[in-house]
Amino acid sequence: DGGITQSPKYLFRKEGQNVTLSCEQNLNHDAMYWYRQDPGQGLRLIYYSQIVNDFQKGDIAEGYSVSREKKESFPLTVTSAQKNPTAFYLCASSLQGGEKLFFGSGTQLSVL
Amino acid sequence: SQQGEEDPQALSIQEGENATMNCSYKTSINNLQWYRQNSGRGLVHLILIRSNEREKHSGRLRVTLDTSKKSSSLLITASRAADTASYFCATVPSGGSNYKLTFGKGTLLTVNP
């Protein structure tokens, strides 16, 4: 069953804590993305990766970090420097830039 | 920055009616895409229209693009209750990174049975 898997579905962060959101794809896509969605808002780009071992900042990268050590995986770490982390996080992939995105089912992050 | 802006913000119709949503954007694009999101779920790609295309169809969906007005519309014909969702337009800028799709805030469509 090809697609993108995000885990966990729900995540709670304590103050001062770093948390990592998982994103795995088996679509053999080169490009992967992380978006943040706040209630009633569109998606804002956090980071994207065009290819393994390469990634670039999006529009709201402060307080986040990523890695791309394998083609299939693009984990996002929400660091303690992100002061307002409560949001719905969406991972996506595409065959190449500018083409349609395939999305995971999202992770809801809340602060305790 | 929000490139695309959908209009209206919310739309409520009866089953069987047509639904039209509009998207306006500010800068030149390579293509424009429409996505659908059910509540609490990921987005699903519906249709992609390139800057040199004016109209595209996919099943009950019809998308138009007017690059002179920097606008697009999504028409869903003969709507069903299962079409209830939020609909987003996303633009790929020309002259910039193809990887930086910019999404609008979406139109919430409610189809009443």
Side-chain angles (χ1 to χ4, degrees), chain A residues 9 31 33 35 37 40-45 48 50 57 59 88 90 96-101 103-105, chain B residues 1-2 31 33 35 37 40-45 48 50 88 92 97-106:
Chain A
K9 189 166 177 61
Y33 311 78
Y35 286 91
Q37 185 177 32
Q41 301 294 311
L43 279 64
R44 291 184 290 168
L45 183 63
Y48 66 98
Q50 299 180 37
K57 293 181 179 180
D59 298 319
F88 190 53
L90 287 157
Q96 54 187 320
E99 297 304 315
K100 68 178 185 180
L101 301 183
F103 282 86
S105 55
Chain B
S1 60
Q2 302 287 121
N31 69 61
Q33 303 176 29
Y35 289 82
Q37 183 182 34
R41 307 287 295 174
L43 278 71
V44 175
H45 182 269
L48 181 155
R50 302 192 187 280
F88 296 88
V92 176
S97 171
N98 275 345
Y99 295 86
K100 299 187 81 172
L101 267 76
T102 306
F103 286 80
K105 295 182 179 180

